[in-house]
Amino acid sequence: MAKQKKQPRPKAETPKGFRDYFGAEVTQRTEMLARIAEVYHAYGFDALESSAVETVEALGKFLPDVDRPNEGVFAWQEADDEGRGDWLALRYDLTAPLARVYAQHRNDLPTPYRRYAMGPVWRNEKPGPGRFRQFYQCDADTVGAPSVAADAEICAMLADTLERVGIPRGDYLIRVNNRKVLNGVLEAMGLSDEAQRDAVLRTIDKFDKVGEAGVRELLGKGRLDASGAYIDGVGLTEAQAEPVIAFLTSRGESAAETLANLRAAIGESAIGAEGVAELETIAGLLEAGGYGPDRIVIDPSVVRGLGYYTGPVFEAELTFEITDEKGRPRQFGSVAGGGRYDDLVKRFTGQAVPATGVSIGVDRLLAALREKGRISATPVGPVVVTVMDRDRMADYQAMVAELRAAGLRAEVYLGNPKNFGNQLKYADRRNSPAAVIAGSEEFERGVVQVKDLVLGAKIAENATLEEWKERPSQFEVPRGEMVARLRAMLDGAE
Amino acid sequence: MAKQKKQPRPKAETPKGFRDYFGAEVTQRTEMLARIAEVYHAYGFDALESSAVETVEALGKFLPDVDRPNEGVFAWQEADDEGRGDWLALRYDLTAPLARVYAQHRNDLPTPYRRYAMGPVWRNEKPGPGRFRQFYQCDADTVGAPSVAADAEICAMLADTLERVGIPRGDYLIRVNNRKVLNGVLEAMGLSDEAQRDAVLRTIDKFDKVGEAGVRELLGKGRLDASGAYIDGVGLTEAQAEPVIAFLTSRGESAAETLANLRAAIGESAIGAEGVAELETIAGLLEAGGYGPDRIVIDPSVVRGLGYYTGPVFEAELTFEITDEKGRPRQFGSVAGGGRYDDLVKRFTGQAVPATGVSIGVDRLLAALREKGRISATPVGPVVVTVMDRDRMADYQAMVAELRAAGLRAEVYLGNPKNFGNQLKYADRRNSPAAVIAGSEEFERGVVQVKDLVLGAKIAENATLEEWKERPSQFEVPRGEMVARLRAMLDGAE
């Protein structure tokens, strides 16, 4: 083999659409997921961590005649002895792997199988602002439970979960709908043309965006959208469109009123009646469990993902207002969604297995907690013990060991100690609440200097601040009292 | 596009060499990693979660003339507009990404940068028994600290970490060596032939396996290995080989004695003297910190990975005995290793950046904790509230809600309730400590039946067991006392 030319330096960059998470970004997520796991665990859900890599065959969704099956996923071909091995891919969600896991291990798993899963998923999509190709999902699903009591349980657990992580009651609302009711409505409309049915479904999915008036236009003649383009309508008469509108706007003052409106919308449809009965059961179970309409409501205007699900669907919204990038107030919006999808495992086994579950948008929920001030944006860094005399390293190490033993986060400066200013700049960059300074003179006298960096920063912000006068930003303490003084100081600061 | 033929059912299988983790396998690892993170955090290390996907260019290690750079990694090519995008790959460890992250973000990161990282890595290798292509790593590294005080800190932190997760003092030993000392030994030997130096290095790496006598043979004429094959030797005379043997066997009764032996082995070599001085500094700092030779020792027989590192190297071994698959006692062995690798970031920036770190073998350490009985192998499942009357679902849900509010894990049976035997089988499979049974008769009388499944299992194991006579395996309690009775029963059981 010929010698290679000297390689140019590689670029130090994440691939497009990927990112790194630093410090509190990691630990805050870990803590939030731990709290969520506590709730799931208490409900009897078991953890599952499936392989991040699946066969493309198991993930499904790929066209067999495409040479490279990378539509939306990251996929590659294994090199076997003949160079033509299996196609593998990174999982794009946690639900498809659950189906594979349940089909593979069903003889060893309990039925029903309640499981939760948390971890990254990957999408081979065009990245955009705030839209990454690797992100976390956090799912809970019950496989093998045909009863909608399982759906009601998921909704109640979701409410408990949101409160557990720090979203107070009144700041969230879980809305429940049912795909079967929609099917009933379509049946009642007598739409025999499949293309027209699909067009109605696509229109319903736009309800969140265009509202009732927009849906009326789109079901009828068509509509001029915001960009000025004309969108063709489905071509229904107003009378024909009415059941769809009645369905979407059927939420009443109470669950009973909503259910009555839905019964009217579905006419004689058997599947529609089944859907309404399911919603009635769910509403009854939730009410009996104390999950009133201030937390969970039957709301047929929830349409997101209706096409994917086969029964009840649910969505959790945060109802408090935030200010958007243009300074306008708006509701925080959706942080979780889910529903019943009964055809999941059938692909593998040929046998229908009922399943229902929810997925929490981890990054959205974290952002909401930051918005609500439930998570501190700038966590406190470690106490930095500076190095005045590099022959005293063992003494400095002893100081941080004592501080740690007392429950404080602490570290010795390990860079080049020559320039003391750099050490304080380092402490600043670490968000240190305090620095400890001890040179040979201090060691001789058995004292250390403590620099209060939180106070120092406040004084720097407002040098004339009267209230800080009595609190010196640097003071001397006997070595033996260092830990106690720092503890007292930092307990006060936090 | 022509219509596809009906697809055969996909196989429900993890790809070869991958596996799923269930229940306690996940939560025990999560808990262990949380404890490790506590120690790392207290030492001032910050969390980092880098992207799982890197450019092949950033990961390095790939031959530019190979069409598909998949040597040891899972890699694929991005499809850009011309169909020839960047090559991406799954990270194969947490160190290469650290180098990329540090080079990319160095202006925003503190220097020195202490970081820890925990997560899966992927290796495109032939899987074997217990050897998977996705596994966890847990690393802590200090980038930008030239002082061996950073190495000493990592060793001390590793000792604290092992004790924190449940390995008692006396059951582990961290051994420290230094690559520079070995370089000094080679220099003292006057080996000018590079091929011969490499052969000596490869031989040293076999010390763990073949011992002193084996190394002597391999440095000389050669050796008949266990399979009966003859391995050619390096061809040194016994006198020439002596410094290598002296180096490998230089561990004395005390650090001072070991250091004296090493000084003799390196002769006049300057690099060797530097290495010994570094070990002396490390030994001094650790001794001053109270990390005596019962926890951390200077031991030149640690050779694993010496080739990769540039300065101090360390390895943590668990010293307690286990029984191997053939019933013979042996030491548990290595669970962590690391060292100084100063050329990490240079690839990207051209500037040398010193770095040192440690990697814990997550699965090995978990196995050790199970071995020591620090982790229960069969965790307690939820209390199962059975369904005798499906119209009472709201009442059953209320029971589990009360049990959860009291801190107990609890769930309602959500399968088909018709066959009551199936419900008890389900509880059994869930490792439930107790089942609650209430039909219409119990509801009328205001009581529930509690079935003690732990006791039931014990009686089933040994039906004549006298001591269980007084404890009934099923008893009736007033509905209002259900939670308190179950709490008392389960507090006792755990």
Side-chain angles (χ1 to χ4, degrees), chain A residues 265-412:
Chain A
I266 56 161
E268 300 295 310
S269 161
I271 186 78
E274 196 179 310
V276 176
E278 286 181 1
L279 285 177
E280 192 167 21
T281 302
I282 291 171
L285 284 171
L286 290 171
E287 205 191 326
Y291 296 88
D294 57 328
R295 296 202 269 171
I296 309 178
V297 292
I298 304 297
D299 184 350
S301 72
V302 177
V303 290
R304 223 180 51 155
L306 263 187
Y308 175 73
Y309 295 107
T310 57
V313 297
F314 19 91
E315 182 162 4
E317 285 189 355
L318 303 189
T319 52
F320 59 84
E321 278 193 350
I322 54 165
T323 308
D324 73 8
E325 55 282 3
K326 286 178 185 162
R328 293 167 305 200
R330 64 165 182 82
Q331 282 206 346
F332 189 90
S334 175
V335 291
R340 180 167 284 271
Y341 49 103
D342 279 348
D343 297 330
L344 177 81
V345 181
K346 203 177 178 181
R347 278 185 64 232
F348 295 103
T349 62
Q351 215 175 343
V353 177
T356 183
V358 68
S359 184
I360 291 178
V362 173
D363 291 324
R364 294 271 304 153
L365 187 54
L366 262 177
L369 294 175
R370 284 196 194 102
E371 195 71 48
K372 293 295 281 181
R374 299 279 156 171
I375 295 176
S376 154
T378 49
V380 175
V383 172
V384 170
V385 173
T386 58
V387 175
M388 301 293 284
D389 178 353
R390 64 171 85 201
D391 291 337
R392 299 276 192 175
M393 191 53 90
D395 296 301
Y396 301 127
Q397 298 277 22
M399 289 179 194
V400 289
E402 282 172 41
L403 289 166
R404 280 175 209 139
L408 296 177
R409 195 180 183 204
E411 54 173 56
V412 175

Side-chain angles (χ1 to χ4, degrees), chain A residues 11 20-21 23 29 41 43-47 49 57 78 100 114 133-134 136 404 409 412 430, chain B residues 11 20-21 23 29 41 43-47 49 57 78 100 114 133 136 404 409 412 430:
Chain A
K11 280 192 223 94
D20 305 310
Y21 295 82
R29 183 177 57 208
H41 182 80
Y43 268 83
F45 284 69
D46 276 348
E49 185 171 321
E57 183 190 354
E78 286 250 69
R100 193 268 304 153
R114 288 178 176 95
R133 305 208 285 174
Q134 173 180 333
Y136 266 70
R404 280 175 209 139
R409 195 180 183 204
V412 175
R430 299 288 285 120
Chain B
K11 280 192 222 94
D20 306 309
Y21 294 83
R29 182 177 56 208
H41 182 79
Y43 269 82
F45 285 69
D46 276 348
E49 185 171 320
E57 183 190 355
E78 286 251 69
R100 193 266 306 152
R114 289 178 176 94
R133 304 207 286 174
Y136 265 70
R404 281 175 208 140
R409 195 179 185 207
V412 174
R430 300 286 288 120

Side-chain angles (χ1 to χ4, degrees), chain B residues 51-283:
Chain B
S51 158
V53 177
E54 297 275 352
T55 64
V56 161
E57 183 190 355
L59 284 181
K61 276 193 161 191
F62 296 101
L63 296 174
D65 58 336
V66 170
D67 179 45
R68 177 152 189 184
N70 63 355
E71 285 292 328
V73 303
F74 293 105
W76 63 89
Q77 191 170 24
E78 286 251 69
D80 68 2
D81 293 341
E82 286 108 54
R84 305 292 294 170
D86 288 340
W87 276 93
L88 304 184
L90 289 173
R91 65 184 179 204
Y92 56 81
D93 71 4
L94 300 173
T95 311
L98 171 62
R100 193 266 306 152
V101 168
Y102 186 79
Q104 182 173 349
H105 300 280
R106 63 190 182 283
N107 293 331
D108 302 315
L109 291 171
T111 296
Y113 177 47
R114 289 178 176 94
R115 88 86 180 80
Y116 68 85
M118 300 166 164
V121 300
W122 292 267
R123 302 269 170 93
N124 192 358
E125 294 171 337
K126 217 180 155 73
R131 197 169 150 204
F132 295 98
R133 304 207 286 174
Q134 172 180 333
F135 54 93
Y136 265 70
Q137 286 195 336
C138 168
D139 287 19
D141 295 80
T142 301
V143 180
S147 157
V148 293
D151 302 85
E153 178 178 88
I154 297 262
C155 291
M157 185 168 77
L158 182 54
D160 287 0
T161 300
L162 293 174
E163 292 183 21
R164 177 73 185 83
V165 299
I167 304 290
R169 207 169 292 186
D171 270 349
Y172 69 90
L173 190 63
I174 296 165
R175 304 190 296 151
V176 184
N177 195 359
N178 194 322
R179 172 64 206 255
K180 288 179 184 168
V181 181
L182 174 62
N183 285 349
V185 169
L186 295 177
E187 205 171 281
M189 289 166 75
L191 283 188
S192 53
D193 180 45
E194 204 175 319
Q196 214 172 27
R197 280 177 74 118
D198 286 350
V200 171
L201 275 173
R202 278 197 305 277
T203 304
I204 285 176
D205 261 346
K206 293 181 187 147
F207 179 63
D208 280 346
K209 227 172 95 188
V210 303
E212 182 185 333
V215 167
R216 276 186 195 279
E217 289 175 328
L218 286 170
L219 287 174
K221 288 180 190 148
R223 182 171 184 270
L224 210 60
D225 82 358
S227 71
Y230 194 81
I231 312 294
D232 283 340
V234 181
L236 303 183
T237 67
E238 266 192 42
Q240 276 180 309
E242 203 46 49
V244 175
I245 303 298
F247 166 73
L248 288 172
T249 60
S250 56
R251 181 169 162 194
E253 289 295 309
S254 66
E257 197 182 318
T258 305
L259 292 166
N261 290 340
L262 286 177
R263 266 191 208 96
I266 56 161
E268 300 296 310
S269 162
I271 186 77
E274 196 180 310
V276 176
E278 286 181 0
L279 285 177
E280 193 166 22
T281 303
I282 291 171

